[in-house]
Amino acid sequence: MTDIHSLRPVEAPVADAGNGVTRPRMRGGGARFLTDVIVELGFVDRDRVEQAIDTARMTSTTPESVLVENGALTQTALSRAIAERYGLDHLDLTVFNVDMGAANLIHSGAAKRYEAVPVGYLGERGLIVAMADPANVLAVDDIALMTGFEVRAAVASREDIAGLISRLTRLDDVVANASIESEEAEAGPAEIVDLRDSAEEAPVIKLVNQIIAQAVEQGASDIHLAPDGTQLRVRFRIDGVLSETATVPRRMVNGVISRVKIMSDLDIAEKRLPQDGRVGLTIEGRHVDLRVVTLPSVHGEGAVMRILDKSAVVMELEKLGMLEAERTRFRRAFKQAYGAVLVTGPTGSGKSTSLYAALGELNTPDKNVITIEDPVEYQLDGITQVQVNNRAGLTFATGLRSMMRADPDVIMVGEIRDAEAAQIAVEAALTGHLVLSTLHTNDAPTAITRLTEMGIEPFLVASAIDCVVAQRLARTLCQHCKARTMLSAELLRENGFHARHDIEAYEPVGCARCGQSGYKGRIGIYEVMTVTDEIRKLTIARASADEIVEVAVRAGMRRLREDGLEKIRLGRTSLTEVARVTGTGAATY
């Protein structure tokens, strides 16, 4: 059995200055508490660490986990402290020259399980292994057995190790290998093969599984499989932006699409009409649902898979990105006993997530919460969720009518699509129920006029609606590579912002941690309008949305662009990104 104190640092020849290696100040300091090391290195002050220790005792977790979750400590700083505690070298894998030959000595599954990856050789028998937890001596022993090398541990951050693991098996390599296997299979005697059997061939199964697994690992929300006549383009939508990941040879296109259809229990013989289905998968211990839509095109049949990964979705109001003033208004509205709260925005702007966050706070044993959705994206414990089924006659309107007879306290309507559903939702809000729903409008004030245009009487709208939230999702700047910049007042005004002075902000750069995009993750931009008495009077008078905007702003509503500007000031996102998602045009620095 390996002892942690025998895991001495890598020798100097591997750790030349400037290649991402940080030497520990002290050797073999494993007896010190990790929190003491964090304070000694100046990452967090003693008072905050003591608070984290108290919180950790109450929540049965570790103080360093509390500090990371609260944003007081970064993953990189934590890994630096771990390295210092054990007297080991710290590796910055975005700078360190990783030997991919060494990295591929172990399977990616084992690397994920141990959160450890070989990154280089040391002499003839030594292997440098970057680990998130060097105290895991069982992992060290297993890697030594798997590789046949003597392991020398170093420490790297969890996010750096995860990023390296995702690079171990590139999708292009999988496509190439699958193509070669497919060619070898086709080299045999010609025979008539059933399409379902051909889709079950190992190369196609491996390829589809790897596409889905890599998309989940990279945090993609959608997988697009689109034929262009010569090949199949594979694209992932990550943080709201599509990027091409790989291409599949033409001879494998039918097999890939058929495999996707088989997985989602669709008719593989029907290629003329769109189909939709759903499949549940377990990837690395995480349950993931896929919503699958097939689309016939002039170049052949394609497919789009929406990835619903509950473990990756933030459903806590404090973590969505709402600033305190907007969060207070929104919470005050949905904590009322009755009335309607609407969330508006384009498709993919995070409306359902905001409603789920609200439901999470409303979901108590003393309330009967019922939802009707199309589809039910995430299943929530303690809530009755109804799936729309148009073929069976279960629409939003018919479902709402039935829900009204089921003694609900809170009703969530996935989307108000027509006048009938809008009428029932408004009536429910007026008869003592709290109604949460979404609507497709560009901003909050327009939601009021949209309902009246649907044919709902203005006096009903004025009485029922208590709050409207408009939102967008903007990409957040990578915290590791963002660069400070100055935005002139003139540039801000050109992009539709009201600014009198230059402001300090940040711009995207790009590094290995963010895939050279300069962004990692997304944050919400919000516009929360509380319906005041003055706005109710304007609603009854059928006033325009512009008139409602003026009154709402005077009452304290912050417009989408203003909220975006505040997040630019805070260094969370960039001017270019806010301009993109709010439709103010492309910002230029």
Side-chain angles (χ1 to χ4, degrees), residues 52-63:
I53 292 172
D54 293 338
T55 303
R57 287 197 189 104
M58 293 185 290
T59 57
S60 300
T61 184
T62 61

Side-chain angles (χ1 to χ4, degrees), residues 318-332:
E318 276 73 13
K319 296 181 180 179
L320 292 179
M322 270 190 191
L323 298 177
E324 187 174 355
E326 281 71 27
R327 190 168 62 243
T328 300
R329 287 182 171 206
F330 183 40
R331 183 174 275 126
R332 188 188 302 127

